[in-house]
Amino acid sequence: GAILVDSGTATTVNLLTPSGLFAGGAILPGLALGGLALNHYTAMLPHVPASELVEGEVEPVGKNTWDAIRSGVLYGQVGAIRELTSRFTDQIPESSMPPLCLITGGAGALLARYLGPPFRFERHLPLYGLAATVWNTPPG
C-alpha cells in the first residue's frame, strides 16, 4: 500500500491498497488557508503567510502571537498528516508491508522536513502518475 500526500491550497491524504487501487482519503486546508482562516475569521489575529514557515525552524512553543500562529499552522498540519497516516495504515492488511509514504505539492518539501521518515518528498509525483497512466493504457 501507499499513502500519498499532496499539499497545496488544500492538503489531500490518500490511501492506495497494496494492489494499487484508490481506497479513499481525507482533505484538509493547506498551510496558506490555515493562516488566512485565522486572520479572516478572528477579530485580532494577523495574517501569517505560509512563506513565513519556510525560513528557519518553527519553534513549537510560540513566544508571541506571530510565532504561535506559525507553530499552530505548521504543527497542526504535521500532526493531522501523522494521525491520518496512522489511521490509514490500520486499514492495510497486517500481512502487507508498511505503506510507502510520499509527499508532493507546493508545501511538500517543507512538510517532509518536519514529518521525516517514512515520508519522502517527490516534487514530480503527479507527472510520474500521469506517465504511468499513459504507459499502462493500451491504445485504442
Side-chain angles (χ1 to χ4, degrees), residues 113-130:
R113 190 170 94 209
Y114 284 90
L115 286 163
F119 280 93
R120 187 176 78 219
F121 176 62
E122 289 289 343
R123 181 176 314 278
H124 302 295
L125 186 61
L127 295 176
Y128 298 151
L130 180 61

Side-chain angles (χ1 to χ4, degrees), residues 36-51:
L36 279 171
L38 288 172
N39 174 247
H40 287 297
Y41 297 106
T42 63
M44 302 289 289
L45 293 178
H47 175 227
V48 177
S51 61

Side-chain angles (χ1 to χ4, degrees), residues 37-108:
L38 288 172
N39 174 247
H40 287 297
Y41 297 106
T42 63
M44 302 289 289
L45 293 178
H47 175 227
V48 177
S51 61
E52 286 291 317
L53 305 173
V54 178
E55 295 301 320
E57 283 294 307
V58 175
E59 292 297 324
V61 179
K63 304 291 190 217
N64 55 55
T65 301
W66 188 267
D67 289 341
I69 293 171
R70 290 176 75 223
S71 173
V73 168
L74 176 64
Y75 290 108
Q77 185 92 171
V78 168
I81 292 168
R82 284 187 178 146
E83 179 67 15
L84 288 165
T85 298
S86 174
R87 290 179 181 264
F88 285 12
T89 300
D90 291 344
Q91 302 296 311
I92 298 172
E94 288 184 28
S95 61
S96 299
M97 297 198 36
L100 172 66
C101 297
L102 301 176
I103 188 163
T104 193

